Amino acid sequence: MKVATWQDFSVIATGNGYKLERWGKVILLRPDPQVIWQSEFDLDGYKNLSAKYVRSETGGGRWIYNGKTPEEWVIGYKDLKFKIKPMGFKHTGLFPEQAVNWDLMTDLIKNSGREINVLNLFAYTGGATVACAKAGATVCHVDASKGMVERAGENVRLSGIENNKVRYIIDDCKKFVQREIRRGKRYDAIIMDPPSYGRGANGEVWKLETELYSLVELCKQVLSDNPLFFLINSYTTGLQPQVLKNILNKTLTKTHGGSVSAYEVGLQTEEEGVILPCGNSGIWINE
């Protein structure tokens, strides 16, 4: 498992289906389905708790605030800046465990010795976009949510990145890639963080287990003649790292060579011996 090391973020404690987190100076208590053990103390009673997300029996949930919790605030990771805001479905606008992948992609881009053009699909609020652009790449940031793309733009500006380094696209990712193929557009690196399940505007059903392989095959067609990397993130329960490794080997290694690695990503907690699993990643690197 690869574990990120932060200064502005930490998991203080876990238990009873929740994780107690510090985001800068703000303490949040959020549900986590991986936390099936009991807590060592009353997480709800933590003295500096700012807000807790409570699930509804009918679906969704809501935030319960203590005192003067800011509506939004900024935290940093190395030379990157991100805006944090408690949102629906327990989210904050950032997945801190992905810092291990930001570091990896940053090193690959900086050590490439050339201009790298990155396609970031299902790009959300732009954690990977910010990391790649800050490392010197140009990035095409694609997400179907206008609000998330706008927040990505805020994160890019917060990190002091030039406006011409990022192109923002509000669109269905698969349809966008199909158009890029027809236009003859090519990218040196691709990042994708597809959802486990979803529905399109016309009722189309997206299920990661049945769609991922064909999506990677499709995206392979927009890779340049000398691609640098192809990264897949997955939060789908039951989809093991070896599955991502197999997909990347079958789609990329046979035609481009290189090597593939796959791994769990997680967060070190302040509790002794407890690492919180946070999904899986697989990366193909053209070595």
Side-chain angles (χ1 to χ4, degrees):
M1 179 179 288
K2 293 190 177 184
V3 178
T5 302
W6 280 76
Q7 297 297 321
D8 277 3
F9 170 86
S10 66
V11 180
I12 300 168
T14 59
N16 305 109
Y18 275 86
K19 54 187 175 183
L20 183 68
E21 305 166 305
R22 177 181 60 84
W23 297 82
K25 295 182 179 179
V26 179
I27 308 298
L28 301 179
L29 186 58
R30 298 193 293 158
D32 191 310
Q34 299 282 358
V35 182
I36 62 174
W37 50 89
Q38 293 196 353
S39 58
E40 296 182 3
F41 64 89
D42 179 18
L43 302 184
D44 288 85
Y46 192 76
K47 61 180 180 179
N48 295 318
L49 181 62
S50 303
K52 176 183 179 180
Y53 187 86
V54 180
R55 291 192 184 278
S56 169
E57 293 182 357
T58 57
R62 64 189 180 96
W63 288 95
I64 299 176
Y65 294 93
N66 296 330
K68 296 181 179 180
T69 304
E71 182 178 339
E72 54 187 26
W73 63 98
V74 174
I75 68 170
Y77 178 78
K78 297 182 178 179
D79 58 348
L80 313 178
K81 299 291 183 183
F82 302 102
K83 184 169 286 187
I84 304 302
K85 179 181 180 178
M87 298 185 291
F89 299 101
K90 77 177 181 178
H91 293 306
T92 62
L94 191 68
F95 293 95
E97 66 276 2
Q98 286 299 319
V100 295
N101 287 325
W102 304 340
D103 288 344
L104 175 57
M105 292 184 290
T106 293
D107 289 343
L108 288 170
I109 291 167
K110 287 184 175 180
N111 294 330
S112 68
R114 57 191 171 102
E115 181 72 23
I116 299 298
N117 191 14
V118 177
L119 175 61
N120 188 8
L121 300 172
F122 310 96
Y124 194 50
T125 58
T129 294
V130 171
C132 291
K134 193 71 173 179
T138 56
V139 184
C140 181
H141 176 107
V142 187
D143 197 280
S145 168
K146 180 180 178 180
M148 294 302 102
V149 173
E150 290 174 346
R151 186 160 288 268
E154 294 182 44
N155 288 331
V156 167
R157 291 186 289 274
L158 279 171
S159 294
I161 297 166
E162 297 176 11
N163 289 334
N164 63 354
K165 299 296 288 185
V166 182
R167 175 188 176 204
Y168 303 98
I169 304 293
I170 303 168
D171 201 354
D172 175 89
C173 289
K174 183 177 179 180
K175 292 178 180 177
F176 175 77
V177 171
Q178 290 170 334
R179 285 197 297 273
E180 292 290 82
I181 293 170
R182 293 194 293 270
R183 288 188 285 245
K185 182 69 175 178
R186 297 292 181 264
Y187 297 88
D188 303 301
I190 296 176
I191 306 161
M192 63 169 63
D193 199 342
S196 298
Y197 181 85
R199 286 188 177 273
N202 297 317
E204 311 96 323
V205 175
W206 163 275
K207 192 174 182 182
L208 186 65
E209 295 93 325
T210 57
E211 300 286 347
L212 181 58
Y213 184 83
S214 61
L215 179 63
V216 175
E217 282 277 22
L218 181 71
C219 291
K220 186 174 71 171
Q221 299 180 57
V222 295
L223 283 175
S224 66
D225 293 335
N226 186 24
L228 183 61
F229 66 81
F230 194 123
L231 175 70
I232 306 173
N233 290 312
S234 170
Y235 291 91
T236 302
T237 303
L239 199 64
Q240 300 300 320
Q242 186 64 42
V243 174
L244 302 181
K245 187 173 184 178
N246 292 343
I247 290 173
L248 289 168
N249 270 323
K250 283 181 170 292
T251 55
L252 294 170
T253 308
K254 285 185 178 181
T255 54
H256 290 82
S259 65
V260 175
S261 59
Y263 42 86
E264 286 186 87
V265 293
L267 293 168
Q268 178 68 59
T269 75
E270 295 180 8
E271 303 167 281
E272 184 177 357
V274 176
I275 297 176
L276 189 61
C278 301
N280 304 310
S281 296
I283 187 168
W284 170 86
I285 300 173
N286 189 11
E287 296 177 330

